[in-house]
């Protein structure tokens, strides 16, 4: 047992024995350089002669804990990314609108109005793109093919054209599975845009039914 967990485990067992309560606790265990995490559950059992003993189970939850920590880190990174995106795009655009409003009395009204409209259009577009990245409503309403088509259209630029070919997903499927597939493809496309230097990206997705 990990030295830092021994006191906690000892106190839990003492409480369970003295108050005849069930025990449900997680502890770290070490074996040389290796470390694992185990969940311990059990309860006090009275023998025929009045003796006391614990009966229970203990199982390795190391991988489960690793995945939970990974998910937590991913969520934190996503929140940070959202915060930075909102600050660097929408906030700056809205600030530009504020500056333009302050200059209305110094410029001709038609020119100022036109510039304000352009900035507002940019702000609206950025907001919609961010909303799509977080939770595309198209996925629930029209399915994966339409969502990937919209993704391709939104992310295509004059320097990089993106297309999507999807087959086998004509009928609505498992929402969680399709959402996961969308996130994976979204991340791959973002990586292509940031690091590949490619001028063309083709998304090809095919659902294959495998019978036993």
């Amino acid at each position: 047992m990990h030295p830092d967990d021994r006191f906690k485990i000892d106190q839990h067992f003492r409480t369970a024995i003295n108050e005849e309560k069930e025990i449900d606790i997680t502890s770290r265990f070490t074996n040389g350089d290796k470390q694992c995490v185990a969940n311990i559950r059990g309860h006090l059992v009275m023998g025929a002669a009045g003796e006391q003993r614990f009966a229970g189970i203990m199982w390795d939850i190391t991988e489960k804990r690793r995945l939970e920590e990974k998910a937590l880190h991913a969520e934190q990174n996503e929140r940070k990314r959202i915060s930075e995106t909102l600050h660097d795009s929408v906030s700056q655009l809205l600030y530009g609108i504020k500056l333009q409003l302050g200059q209305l009395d110094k410029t001709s009204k038609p020119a100022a109005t036109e510039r304000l409209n352009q900035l507002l259009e940019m702000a609206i577009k950025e907001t919609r793109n961010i909303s799509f990245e977080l939770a595309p409503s198209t996925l629930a309403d029209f399915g994966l093919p339409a969502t990937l088509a919209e993704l391709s259209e939104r992310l295509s630029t004059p320097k990089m054209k993106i297309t999507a070919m999807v087959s086998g997903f004509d009928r609505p499927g498992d929402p969680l599975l399709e959402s996961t597939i969308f996130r994976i493809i979204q991340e791959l496309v973002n990586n292509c845009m940031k690091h590949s230097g490619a001028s063309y990206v083709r998304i090809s997705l095919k659902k294959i039914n495998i019978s036993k």
Side-chain angles (χ1 to χ4, degrees):
M1 186 176 294
H2 195 284
D4 294 342
D5 291 346
R6 288 175 183 172
F7 178 78
K8 176 184 66 175
I9 298 297
D10 179 74
Q11 292 300 308
H12 273 271
F13 270 95
R14 290 180 183 273
T15 300
I17 293 172
N18 295 333
E19 301 179 8
E20 297 184 358
K21 292 183 177 180
E22 292 187 354
I23 192 168
D24 184 354
I25 191 171
T26 300
S27 176
R28 294 168 293 174
F29 291 83
T30 57
N31 182 12
D33 295 332
K34 295 182 179 180
Q35 178 174 301
C36 68
V37 182
N39 182 248
I40 306 168
R41 293 184 182 181
H43 59 276
L44 195 64
V45 177
M46 301 295 294
E51 73 277 10
Q52 295 179 331
R53 69 178 187 275
F54 257 102
I57 57 175
M58 181 174 70
W59 65 91
D60 188 347
I61 60 169
T62 306
E63 181 64 13
K64 179 175 180 290
R65 178 60 60 84
R66 186 188 69 81
L67 292 175
E68 289 174 347
E69 292 176 351
K70 183 178 180 181
L72 179 60
H73 287 308
E75 181 180 351
Q76 292 173 340
N77 290 336
E78 184 69 3
R79 289 178 181 273
K80 180 180 179 181
R81 186 186 69 81
I82 294 170
S83 176
E84 291 175 348
T85 302
L86 290 173
H87 178 269
D88 296 339
S89 59
V90 178
S91 294
Q92 294 299 321
L93 288 170
L94 295 177
Y95 181 70
I97 294 174
K98 180 180 178 180
L99 292 179
Q100 290 291 320
L101 287 172
Q103 295 296 321
L104 280 177
D105 58 343
K106 300 178 182 179
T107 61
S108 60
K109 188 174 181 180
T113 301
E114 177 62 24
R115 181 55 182 162
L116 285 175
N117 286 332
Q118 292 176 357
L119 290 172
L120 284 171
E121 286 296 327
M122 293 171 65
I124 292 170
K125 183 178 180 180
E126 283 293 327
T127 303
R128 287 177 176 173
N129 286 338
I130 293 170
S131 177
F132 179 81
E133 288 182 11
L134 294 176
S137 59
T138 316
L139 190 58
D141 296 337
F142 303 104
L144 198 55
T147 306
L148 292 179
E150 185 174 353
L151 174 73
S152 301
E153 182 180 353
R154 285 178 177 273
L155 297 185
S156 289
T157 67
K159 295 183 178 180
M160 176 182 285
K161 180 176 176 57
I162 304 171
T163 61
M165 297 289 293
V166 182
S167 62
F169 289 87
D170 299 329
R171 296 180 180 179
D174 182 353
L176 179 59
L177 174 62
E178 293 195 355
S179 177
T180 302
I181 293 173
F182 171 77
R183 298 299 177 195
I184 292 173
I185 294 175
Q186 183 184 43
E187 183 64 22
L188 291 173
V189 172
N190 285 334
N191 288 338
C192 287
M193 296 180 69
K194 292 178 182 178
H195 309 298
S196 71
S199 59
Y200 178 69
V201 175
R202 182 174 182 265
I203 302 169
S204 180
L205 179 65
K206 184 177 182 180
K207 185 178 181 180
I208 302 175
N209 295 321
I210 301 177
S211 57
K212 296 184 179 179

